[in-house]
Amino acid sequence: MIQRKVDELDPLDRRLLGSGALQGMEFDSAVIAKALETDTADVEERLETLEKSHALILRLGERELPDHTATLRCRFVHALYHDALYETLSPARRT
């Protein structure tokens, strides 16, 4: 059931959440944006949509990273979603 839900994601959303899974159960929009070389605001909009439409993540709120970058902190709603998305990544991406 979980794998089916992950498979239903758009490939770009799967990549975005896979990048979040690299950080762990909780992750930051600014870190994902930097890793994917995209705009943080675009990542945050996508995360909001994913939270509402797929219920795989929960937005925890805003925070500031040590370098003073503003970011949106999120977490996977269940470890099984985290694990399934992490497994979609190739070994090179995990490294």
Side-chain angles (χ1 to χ4, degrees):
M1 177 82 165
I2 288 175
Q3 189 59 50
R4 184 171 45 176
K5 197 164 190 174
V6 168
D7 290 342
E8 290 174 357
L9 291 171
D10 177 271
L12 294 174
D13 291 338
R14 201 168 28 250
R15 185 169 182 217
L16 186 146
L17 291 175
S19 295
L22 284 172
Q23 290 183 58
M25 278 293 292
E26 293 187 3
F27 55 91
D28 295 293
S29 61
V31 175
I32 292 172
K34 187 171 183 176
L36 298 178
E37 299 176 340
T38 189
D39 184 60
T40 303
D42 292 339
V43 169
E44 290 174 357
E45 287 175 15
R46 218 40 237 148
L47 290 171
E48 181 178 353
T49 301
L50 286 166
E51 178 187 36
K52 291 177 181 176
S53 63
H54 294 284
L56 299 173
I57 62 166
L58 178 65
R59 291 177 299 144
L60 300 175
E62 296 178 21
R63 73 178 197 142
E64 191 174 288
L65 296 176
D67 68 354
H68 304 290
T69 301
T71 188
L72 177 65
R73 187 77 172 166
C74 298
R75 77 179 303 275
F76 290 98
V77 296
H78 197 284
L80 293 175
Y81 289 126
H82 166 268
D83 296 347
L85 284 154
Y86 184 85
E87 291 299 318
T88 66
L89 301 170
S90 69
R93 289 234 182 257
R94 291 181 197 163
T95 301

